[in-house]
């Protein structure tokens, strides 16, 4: 199959990570993919991975020159499907695909990525996209917010990640915890630091690895120092290879207050880290709660730092043998249920169904 991915957004987020992973897998299976994006980190990353990535023909909405360029490309390359991310993509590349007779897929990362406005309704009425989302929670949110959508028009295919090639190593002493979200208020890092302060007061030994940057970076560093955690936290800043940070940890914490189906959590479980997270968005849909004690480490949002502290304490209390067995169980479960290969196969079937007359 020939599939074109178009993404006009400027921020590097979950849909872009999904695009890179999926395109690499599809190319390896003999398909042909293209990525059209704005010049910047996403385009640079795609090129560095050896993908066929190009600057997109964007501009103002419904730009006739841009629409013509995309239409010509889709026809000349016998493209089987076009995958868009945001409204800008649909209002240019989506229109082109409709004119070229190419099915349109609208991959939505969060319900709030769409608005129920006349402009959005008109664009969807013309382009007729099949919506694709990574979890049922996002599908339910879209149906609740968008008056023009219907359940049969939205398909759920969870995000997949390539699992580590081998089982997790032996646990560290002290236990290492990783958090890899952007350092912004909605990601809950302040609550995590307060939870760790509580655990330190109970005599728990640990070290926290923080990867990422954001608006709260200076404030969070000051908070950690005021809580006496300075020597227990390593601030890695921006890292191109998040996996290198995850490989230094035993546990993973996602204290976020708002999520869809987060890449950060999936990346951690793909490496067999024992997870702690708040029960937001679609996280419960990808949670190995059958593995004790992970049924107790998905924390209700109403429970603040104390809830995170209790969940982390349940994992920090495990001896080396029990923690290694738990991490191995997470890795085996993820490999069987959420692997990138399995999700790519689902995507292939999804696109083939779109092509049926």
């Amino acid at each position: 199959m020939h599939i074109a991915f178009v993404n006009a957004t400027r921020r590097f987020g979950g849909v872009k990570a999904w695009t890179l992973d999926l395109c690499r897998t599809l190319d390896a299976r003999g398909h042909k993919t293209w990525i059209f994006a704005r010049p910047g980190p996403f385009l640079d990353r795609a090129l560095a991975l050896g993908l066929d990535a190009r600057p997109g023909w964007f501009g103002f909405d419904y730009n006739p020159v841009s629409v013509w360029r995309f239409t010509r490309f889709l026809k000349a390359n016998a493209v089987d499907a076009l995958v868009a991310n945001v409204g800008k993509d649909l209002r240019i590349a989506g229109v082109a695909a409709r004119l070229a007779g190419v099915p349109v897929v609208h991959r939505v990362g969060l319900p709030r990525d769409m608005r129920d406005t006349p402009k959005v309704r008109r664009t969807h009425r013309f382009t007729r996209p099949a919506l694709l989302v990574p979890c049922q929670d996002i599908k339910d949110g879209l149906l609740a917010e968008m008056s023009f959508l219907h359940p049969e028009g939205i398909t759920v295919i969870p995000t997949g990640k390539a699992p580590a090639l081998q089982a997790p190593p032996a646990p560290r002493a002290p236990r290492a915890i990783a958090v890899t979200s952007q350092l912004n208020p909605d990601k809950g890092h302040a609550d995590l630091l307060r939870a760790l302060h509580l655990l330190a007061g109970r005599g728990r030994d640990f070290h926290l690895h923080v990867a990422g940057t954001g608006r709260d970076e200076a404030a969070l560093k000051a908070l950690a120092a005021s809580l006496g955690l300075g020597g227990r936290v390593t601030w890695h800043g921006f890292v191109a290879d998040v996996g290198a940070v995850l490989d230094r940890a035993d546990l993973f914490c996602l204290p976020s207050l708002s999520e869809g189906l987060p890449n950060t959590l999936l990346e951690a479980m793909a490496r067999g880290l024992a997870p702690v997270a708040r029960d937001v968005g679609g996280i419960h849909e990808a949670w190995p709660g059958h593995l004790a004690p992970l049924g107790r480490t998905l924390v209700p949002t109403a429970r603040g730092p104390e809830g995170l502290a209790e969940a982390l304490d349940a994992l920090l209390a495990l001896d080396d043998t029990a923690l290694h067995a738990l991490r191995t169980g997470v890795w085996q479960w993820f490999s069987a249920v959420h692997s990138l290969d399995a999700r790519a196969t689902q995507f292939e079937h999804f696109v083939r169904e779109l092509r049926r007359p």
Side-chain angles (χ1 to χ4, degrees):
M1 291 188 293
H2 292 181
I3 306 172
F5 293 76
V6 180
N7 195 312
T9 61
R10 300 182 188 277
R11 186 177 64 86
F12 197 110
V15 174
K16 288 183 175 179
W18 170 82
T19 300
L20 295 177
D21 287 342
L22 184 59
C23 285
R24 292 177 72 189
T25 304
L26 293 174
D27 285 356
R29 293 184 176 193
H31 302 294
K32 173 59 184 171
T33 67
W34 297 268
I35 294 175
F36 291 91
R38 297 184 188 275
F42 174 54
L43 193 62
D44 294 343
R45 179 64 175 156
L47 291 170
L49 292 171
L51 299 172
D52 190 340
R54 312 175 182 198
W57 301 297
F58 300 117
F60 59 86
D61 289 350
Y62 311 112
N63 182 337
V65 175
S66 298
V67 170
W68 174 77
R69 286 177 172 172
F70 272 114
T71 303
R72 184 177 62 172
F73 177 87
L74 296 172
K75 288 182 176 180
N77 291 279
V79 172
D80 294 297
L82 180 135
V83 182
N85 176 208
V86 293
K88 170 69 74 175
D89 310 338
L90 291 175
R91 291 188 289 271
I92 295 177
V95 170
R98 182 75 178 91
L99 295 174
V102 174
V104 179
V105 177
H106 187 189
R107 195 352 175 117
V108 182
L110 289 169
R112 62 175 178 267
D113 290 346
M114 293 180 65
R115 295 290 183 268
D116 195 348
T117 65
K119 185 176 186 179
V120 170
R121 290 195 293 271
R122 286 195 301 269
T123 301
H124 271 251
R125 190 178 305 119
F126 181 77
T127 58
R128 303 182 199 171
L131 271 72
L132 181 64
V133 297
C135 62
Q136 183 66 38
D137 182 78
I138 293 175
K139 178 175 181 176
D140 293 342
L142 287 172
L143 292 172
E145 297 292 331
M146 305 295 136
S147 62
F148 58 93
L149 296 181
H150 304 283
E152 61 274 12
I154 307 176
T155 299
V156 177
I157 300 180
T159 303
K161 291 291 178 182
L165 297 178
Q166 56 189 7
R172 295 158 182 81
R175 301 291 190 247
I177 307 166
V179 57
T180 59
S181 305
Q182 292 180 335
L183 304 184
N184 294 330
D186 63 317
K187 297 303 181 181
H189 291 81
D191 280 351
L192 173 58
L193 293 173
R194 294 187 178 99
L196 294 176
H197 173 66
L198 294 174
L199 293 173
R202 300 172 191 170
R204 289 296 185 196
D205 198 10
F206 56 83
H207 191 87
L208 177 67
H209 291 277
V210 182
T213 60
R215 299 191 303 274
D216 273 7
E217 184 171 355
L220 290 170
K221 289 180 177 178
L223 176 60
S226 70
L227 294 174
L229 297 174
R232 294 175 179 253
V233 181
T234 297
W235 303 88
H236 294 272
F238 172 79
V239 292
D241 181 11
V242 173
V245 175
L246 295 174
D247 287 341
R248 299 176 64 176
D250 305 289
L251 318 179
F252 178 81
C253 188
L254 183 67
S256 183
L257 298 165
S258 176
E259 291 288 350
L261 183 62
N263 277 279
T264 53
L265 174 65
L266 300 175
E267 289 165 348
M269 293 195 296
R271 281 173 156 77
L273 271 65
V276 168
R278 280 195 166 117
D279 189 4
V280 295
I283 288 177
H284 66 277
E285 299 177 41
W287 194 259
H290 64 287
L291 298 174
L294 296 184
R296 300 174 3 208
T297 63
L298 191 57
V299 182
T301 54
R303 306 211 55 212
E306 295 80 6
L308 292 173
E310 288 182 14
L312 286 165
D313 196 43
L315 299 181
L316 293 171
L318 299 175
D319 61 26
D320 286 357
T321 301
L323 180 56
H324 187 254
L326 175 60
R327 290 194 57 191
T328 300
V330 170
W331 172 71
Q332 291 173 334
W333 169 82
F334 190 92
S335 300
V337 176
H338 279 287
S339 73
L340 178 57
D341 275 343
R343 299 309 183 195
T345 297
Q346 288 182 276
F347 180 81
E348 288 174 327
H349 292 162
F350 167 71
V351 173
R352 289 193 180 102
E353 286 296 314
L354 294 180
R355 295 294 300 174
R356 287 191 176 183

